[in-house]
């Protein structure tokens, strides 16, 4: 668009000649952000003033691909350093207001547009692209946050499945807390891997600290025990409480002959140690 090219040149020329005035106006429009400019730069190496000019440049020069890519990079950066969405929204809206004030001043002095229709075309062009930036930023921010939370949950779940070697070829797996199918999947992956890599021949699984299992979780647990036997490892269950035994019996679970059950972990460890 010839109109947007003309406006772009005028705006870039103004910012180049009046950079400090432009920055001061921008900061005055974002009171909460202005007090955190240095903190954001120190925490995430994010130069808000420099990035504001980059955003304006991409918008006015019709660089839609660069605009979207920039928004996605910003989303990841803000999510990585736990910067709040409210600050980002305030900052982008301040950029929008400052840009329109600048365009208004240029229009008053230089009559950039010829008709009222030109102004509305320009208004739609600019605001649509700023909204596009915000939309891409929020999607990138949310996706990256979700990915981080998922990875953190995986780490926590793996740490909550400690397989402790007590002697050569003998290890203990204490299961504590509530169980769901997701956690059972983590247990399955870790148990099978450890049996293979550590050459475990006897795995003592202590259930005394575990909450009541639901039927679908009991089914998954039975499959894990079957897999342990298939890998040539002997499973020893300890700490089976009456309520858990009752639920297992009613769910139809039947232990293979390779699986032993003992009273307590302490008694079992005394035998193996």
């Amino acid at each position: 668009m010839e109109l947007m090219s003309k406006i772009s040149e005028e705006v870039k020329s103004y910012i180049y000649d009046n950079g400090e005035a432009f920055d001061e106006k921008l900061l005055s429009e974002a009171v909460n952000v202005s007090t955190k400019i240095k903190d954001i730069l120190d925490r995430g190496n994010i130069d808000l003033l420099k990035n504001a000019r980059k955003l304006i440049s991409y918008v006015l020069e019709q660089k839609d691909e660069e605009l979207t890519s920039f928004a996605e990079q910003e989303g990841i950066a803000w999510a990585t350093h736990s910067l709040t969405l409210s600050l980002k929204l305030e900052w982008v809206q301040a950029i929008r207001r400052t840009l329109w004030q600048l365009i208004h001043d240029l229009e008053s002095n230089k009559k950039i547009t010829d008709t009222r229709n030109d102004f509305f075309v320009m208004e739609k062009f600019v605001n649509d692209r700023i909204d596009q930036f915000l939309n891409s930023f929020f999607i990138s921010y949310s996706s990256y946050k979700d990915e981080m939370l998922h990875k953190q949950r995986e780490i926590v779940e793996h740490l909550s499945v400690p397989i402790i070697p007590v002697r050569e070829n003998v290890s203990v797996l204490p299961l504590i807390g509530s169980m769901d199918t997701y956690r059972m999947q983590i247990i399955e992956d870790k148990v099978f891997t450890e049996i293979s890599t550590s050459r475990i021949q006897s795995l003592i699984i202590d259930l005394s600290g575990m909450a009541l299992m639901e039927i679908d979780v009991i089914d998954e647990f039975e499959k894990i025990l079957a897999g342990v036997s298939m890998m040539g490892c002997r499973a020893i269950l300890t700490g089976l409480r009456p309520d858990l035994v009752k639920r297992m019996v009613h769910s139809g679970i039947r232990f293979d002959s390779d699986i032993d059950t003992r009273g307590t972990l302490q008694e079992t460890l005394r035998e193996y140690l």
Side-chain angles (χ1 to χ4, degrees):
M1 286 175 63
E2 183 178 347
L3 173 61
M4 293 310 304
S5 297
K6 184 178 180 181
I7 293 172
S8 177
E9 290 302 319
E10 292 289 348
V11 170
K12 286 195 298 182
S13 178
Y14 176 87
I15 293 176
Y16 181 80
D17 295 333
N18 305 275
E20 290 187 8
F22 175 80
D23 291 346
E24 288 177 5
K25 173 63 177 173
L26 185 54
L27 292 172
S28 70
E29 290 288 339
V31 178
N32 292 323
V33 180
S34 63
T35 61
K36 296 180 174 62
I37 286 282
K38 187 177 184 305
D39 178 54
I40 292 173
L41 180 61
D42 292 340
R43 286 175 60 183
N45 195 29
I46 299 172
D47 190 331
L48 291 181
L49 293 172
K50 179 181 178 181
N51 289 351
R53 299 187 186 192
K54 184 181 290 188
L55 171 58
I56 291 172
S57 174
Y58 287 154
V59 167
L60 297 182
E61 293 177 10
Q62 310 169 58
K63 295 181 177 179
D64 291 346
E65 290 185 6
E66 290 88 341
L67 180 68
T68 300
S69 177
F70 178 50
E72 291 171 351
Q73 293 171 12
E74 284 276 275
I76 292 173
W78 281 64
T80 300
H81 299 287
S82 300
L83 300 172
T84 63
L85 290 175
S86 60
L87 285 177
K88 185 64 174 180
L89 182 59
E90 179 182 350
W91 184 241
V92 174
Q93 298 298 22
I95 294 172
R96 190 198 302 266
R97 290 192 298 271
T98 303
L99 176 59
W100 275 113
Q101 183 62 54
L102 175 54
I103 293 174
H104 176 270
D105 294 342
L106 291 172
E107 173 67 18
S108 299
N109 295 328
K110 299 188 177 183
K111 299 297 180 184
I112 300 173
T113 57
D114 296 326
T115 66
R116 182 184 295 270
N117 185 64
D118 285 344
F119 178 84
F120 286 117
V121 169
M122 176 177 61
E123 185 272 339
K124 185 176 188 307
F125 184 96
V126 171
N127 285 334
D128 281 355
R129 277 156 181 78
I130 293 177
D131 291 340
Q132 174 190 332
F133 173 86
L134 281 173
N135 185 58
S136 298
F137 171 86
F138 285 132
I139 291 174
S140 176
Y141 182 99
S142 299
S143 298
Y144 193 76
K145 273 290 188 184
D146 289 344
E147 182 181 349
M148 289 174 64
L149 290 172
H150 179 70
K151 289 181 178 179
Q152 289 169 358
R153 181 181 178 185
E154 283 187 334
I155 292 172
V156 170
E157 292 294 351
H158 277 286
L159 290 175
S160 68
V161 186
I163 297 180
I164 308 163
V166 294
R167 57 173 294 183
E168 187 179 2
N169 302 327
V170 179
S171 294
V172 175
L173 170 60
L175 297 181
I176 301 171
S178 60
M179 290 286 165
D180 56 19
T181 53
Y182 174 79
R183 192 173 178 201
M184 275 295 169
Q185 182 63 53
I186 299 294
I187 292 171
E188 178 183 289
D189 292 342
K190 191 162 186 179
V191 164
F192 293 168
T193 300
E194 285 294 320
I195 290 174
S196 176
T197 58
S198 302
R199 306 298 182 187
I200 300 173
Q201 295 180 2
S202 297
L203 180 64
I204 304 168
I205 304 175
D206 183 58
L207 306 176
S208 59
M210 192 171 62
L212 193 64
M213 284 186 182
E214 296 299 329
I215 298 298
D216 56 342
V217 177
I218 292 176
D219 290 340
E220 291 298 320
F221 184 59
E222 185 176 16
K223 292 175 183 177
I224 292 173
L225 294 177
V228 169
S229 296
M230 290 174 64
M231 295 187 73
C233 179
R234 180 187 180 199
I236 303 99
L237 301 183
T238 66
L240 283 163
R241 302 189 313 276
D243 54 346
L244 184 55
V245 172
K246 182 178 179 181
R247 199 165 187 82
M248 286 181 170
V249 169
H250 283 285
S251 71
I253 189 171
R254 295 292 183 269
F255 294 140
D256 293 336
S257 57
D258 293 335
I259 300 172
D260 288 345
T261 57
R262 306 291 175 86
T264 67
L265 176 61
Q266 291 83 354
E267 293 172 358
T268 307
L269 287 178
R270 276 198 296 267
E271 176 183 339
Y272 276 89
L273 297 179

